[in-house]
Amino acid sequence: MSFEPAKCTTKLLRLLSLSFGRYSAMVFLEAEMSWNVLISPSQLDRKGLLLRKGIIVRLLEDVTNRRASKEHGYYVAVNQLKAISEGKVRELTGDVLFPVTFTCITQKPMKGEVMVGHVDRILKHGVFLKSGPIESIFMAEKSMSDYKYIGGENPIFMNDHSKLEKGTAVRFKVMGFRWMEADRQFQLLATIAGDFLGPL
């Protein structure tokens, strides 16, 4: 892999929010970051145009492979390549290491944040949701107020007014989260207890 984690720094630039009705569905951060990108000799070009393209392609690959970090959250998109510093040749391989500065849109969960996701799996003790890049959101039966579990081939949670089944869009509140380094992802604990929360 060409990513050099030791040289990663960040600076929060802006807080972006997409709004649906009364609550935000997702909060995005725009962070300025510095990484090292490793380019093979075959991608080097005297004119510099192919080199710049090679650096951008490798940076996008690195961001995709890295997926997320505890500090920044999930990497959603590279926004702007701001600077490419002078490369340093690695003697044994001939690869060139380029320090780059760029801005990246990220999504990091926050306690108390209201989000929108969809039901992925239903178990007797709760529901697993997904929301954007966040794939591990658990909502325990206790946090679903008056919903009751109904088993069967296609299990659901149901109350007098609505039901939660696979694919249902849900507005929920983040009660807590933790970073899982081995999986490079966050696990969230969610609730629909509160005003304007629940199936959409």
Side-chain angles (χ1 to χ4, degrees):
M1 184 186 285
S2 58
F3 173 68
E4 296 282 325
K7 297 292 184 181
C8 183
T9 60
T10 187
K11 175 181 142 190
L12 181 63
L13 298 177
R14 268 191 293 187
L15 187 64
L16 307 170
S17 176
L18 292 182
S19 209
F20 297 100
R22 294 181 147 211
Y23 289 103
S24 297
M26 290 183 181
V27 175
F28 294 93
L29 306 171
E30 185 181 47
E32 185 173 294
M33 305 170 83
S34 297
W35 283 7
N36 288 330
V37 175
L38 195 63
I39 300 293
S40 69
S42 63
Q43 294 176 299
L44 299 175
D45 175 53
R46 271 189 270 162
K47 296 178 184 174
L49 294 176
L50 290 179
L51 176 61
R52 184 174 174 82
K53 180 182 174 185
I55 290 172
I56 292 170
V57 168
R58 183 49 63 102
L59 178 62
L60 292 173
E61 288 172 1
D62 290 349
V63 167
T64 301
N65 291 336
R66 186 116 199 268
R67 187 176 173 195
S69 72
K70 184 177 182 178
E71 183 183 357
H72 306 113
Y74 291 91
Y75 302 121
V76 177
V78 173
N79 200 27
Q80 179 186 16
L81 181 60
K82 296 186 99 176
I84 301 171
S85 299
E86 188 174 328
K88 295 176 183 153
V89 177
R90 289 195 165 173
E91 290 182 21
L92 296 175
T93 62
D95 294 340
V96 183
L97 193 67
F98 289 94
V100 297
T101 302
F102 62 99
T103 57
C104 185
I105 303 296
T106 66
Q107 180 190 9
K108 185 174 182 181
M110 297 182 201
K111 187 175 180 179
E113 178 181 2
V114 175
M115 300 175 69
V116 174
H118 66 275
V119 176
D120 183 49
R121 286 183 295 152
I122 296 178
L123 306 173
K124 186 175 182 180
H125 301 293
V127 174
F128 279 96
L129 306 167
K130 289 185 177 182
S131 178
I134 305 171
E135 296 179 350
S136 185
I137 305 165
F138 183 68
M139 190 165 54
E141 182 183 21
K142 296 174 193 173
S143 68
M144 292 191 273
S145 55
D146 57 347
Y147 282 83
K148 300 293 179 214
Y149 176 78
I150 300 171
E153 192 175 318
N154 296 311
I156 62 171
F157 274 92
M158 193 168 191
N159 69 7
D160 295 338
H161 311 292
S162 61
K163 64 181 175 179
L164 295 170
E165 59 188 342
K166 186 173 173 75
T168 302
V170 180
R171 182 180 292 126
F172 62 91
K173 186 176 188 176
V174 177
M175 293 172 57
F177 62 89
R178 67 179 175 178
W179 170 248
M180 304 299 291
E181 185 64 43
D183 300 327
R184 302 209 61 77
Q185 68 173 337
F186 289 92
Q187 289 183 337
L188 275 63
L189 190 59
T191 183
I192 54 172
D195 294 336
F196 307 106
L197 302 178
L200 299 175

